[in-house]
Amino acid sequence: MICEVIVDIAHSEVDKVFDYVSDGPIAPGARVAVPFGASVATGFVMRVKESSDCPAHKLKRILRAEERPALNAECLSLAQTVAARYRVPMALALRLFLPAEMRTGKVAETYRTYARFLGDVPTKNAPQQAACLAFLKEKGEADAAEVRKRFGAALGALVKKGGAALEKRRVLRDPYKEVAGTSPSHTLTAAQQRAVDAVEHTQKTVVLLHGVTGSGKTEVYLTLIARALAAGRTAIFLVPEISLTPQMLSQLRARFGSLAAIMHSGLSAGERFDEWQRLRDGSAKIAIGARSAVFVPLENIGVIVLDEEHDGSYCSESAPRYNTFDIALLRAAHNGCKLVLGSATPSVETYKRALEGEFELVTMPDRINARPLPDVTLVDMRREVRRGNASPFSAALRDRLSDCLAEGQQAILFLNRRGYSQTVLCRDCGYVAKCEHCDVSLTYHSEEDCLKCHYCGTKYRMLTACPACGGTHLSYTGTGTQRIVRDLAALYPEARILRMDNDTTSGKEGHFRILKQFSERKADILVGTQMVAKGHDFPLVTLVGILDADMSLHFPDYRSNERTFQLVTQVAGRSGRGREKGEVILQTYDPDNAILRFAAAYDYEGFYRHEINLRAALMFPPFALIVRVMVTGAENDAALSALREVYEKLQRLYAAYPEEFLFFNRMHAPIRRIQGKYRYQVLMRLSSARFLREIYDAAAAVTRRDALVYVEENPSNLS
Ligand code: ADP
Ligand code: ZN
């Protein structure tokens, strides 16, 4: 038998199938070891056939093959689609479907030895053996290491006598052992029932569930998943952030026990490997995780849920730069199941497609139990400054915070900036401390008393004097979460304050620990970056303060209005989810801003009409496609010459079809250097996707090896 094999080397020059001979049968999707050049490589069997065009004496033999194919037929064909669509080597597309540790072979299955009771044997004059035997008899079996710890050599003696046996068995690592299932299942409300029915009855593949925060979308998802399982099928549940998964997982665990497996990058290598195996072997039937979970080896999928569909993290930022929605849609079509998108603030593009009838639109306009949405008060920070209040807290916020604490309730303060201060500025000469590897200013971190680069993580010693002029009038401008915590502690010495941002949430359990502490009322105030905005359900929170609502408005990005609306709505949605009504204080220097006003009024429709008209007038997505060809390189000359190469190719396209290009130019990327790499871009706004393929081809054809060239479609980050 002949196998067509893709060798697991992600390089365009070996990006084709090679024929190998196999003695025994091998199924497509299996990983194999094959001789390649002078060494042995891993590969994937793409297809099997009877004969090869390659002369028999030249054909090499497959050395080893795994029994059970790592990839099923669906995954194989999906990998082919991904490779073609995003123009990456097949090997790179195939890797998406495996936990990285399976490729490197660095993790092993873990085994544990158990001691099992076989039968009574004489133990005269050996009290330890008698005790050990009695122990095993009672338990049936126990971890051998523990038995040895308690009874020493007695176990060995019993094994010799035939009273006990040792057995080595595979154990699966269980991430989130701590996450106990706690959430009760609810009887569906009428609105939830309508949503479930709509999903099950529509002829359309994609359903957009537009439900305000606290409308009970999760219960709808869980019901749909339960129905899929009841029908003998499986489910994928995608969430945007790791910080969300422990909460979701605990609900899934409560309902589905160990049928739920978690897939995400925060797990240890071994855990990821085991969870993946449980999904492939069918012992787990629900995959929950961030975007990479869309590639899990489940078969017969009955429903795919993509929660918080508007979230930017669904776009991959490394090759292949896929959009999770596109992959999920392919899988839904292949499996004949529904793809359910959920959000309180759908992206403008998704909402447009729903309004136009491409997706089924289901709305849940009210919170569970008709709980009111919190009142949002816009506070004009310019007035505060005029009144001499230079602190990050308005008088109104301080008042409400005092009340909230006095009543024993909890508050969340949101600020989209971690660290202590944004920049360190010399007031004598205007010098700003910057990273040596990145074209960005450094952030002061008070806890470690150092300056940090938020792009590459490099730490620098704190400055005592300006390195440019020697002046000592250094000022810290812009407030970060650390500083907020310090100021709060001074204002409310008795309050217990928690901070949640990238600095406090390292490690798999980082988010979970903080969220757990807060939900167990071990803190009164939670201060955080956008991590605190997402999905969390804390019934005791009655006050949310948004300290600087303008921050995200002034980003040079066509999505900045949308982002701001989403962020304000999401953060506000954390308030008043329990019995008490909640409120939101939104601090801004631009209180008349239309977007903030729509957000404060929970007027998604109003926001949408405003925004879609703007996008149509300016010809921005979804009326056009923004495509950026990025060029990066450690050497400026190399990057520039690669830029020239790709630009010339693209320019020919531009010259031939100028009507397709609403914008076309090359330039520095907004951040000119990150992690030591120089960054350039060819920025294009296209009136259609007609020449997307040619653009990918142009980028792939750049011959320089010392520069990286890649394509981004409607990038969620234009820095
Ligand atoms: P969303 O995801 O739409 O923001 P959640 O799913 O978090 O909303 O639900 C909000 C709250 O309502 C949660 O505390 C949840 O336990 C509760 N809830 C959901 N469905 C029901 C129901 N049918 N009956 C009672 N409470 C419910
Ligand atoms: Zn840096």
Side-chain angles (χ1 to χ4, degrees), residues 136 237 337 476 582 606 631 635 681 718:
L136 287 177
F237 190 167
C337 73
Y476 303 88
V631 180
E635 302 286 332
Q681 63 188 25
L718 270 171

Side-chain angles (χ1 to χ4, degrees), residues 12 142 177 281 288 344 404 536 538 572 711:
S12 52
K177 274 193 284 289
D281 298 345
I288 174 171
C404 176
H536 316 297
F538 302 116
V711 180

Side-chain angles (χ1 to χ4, degrees), residues 435 437-438 440 453 455-458 460 675:
C435 178
H437 318 288
C438 311
V440 296
C453 170
Y455 280 81
C456 70
T458 307
Y460 299 84
Q675 297 187 355

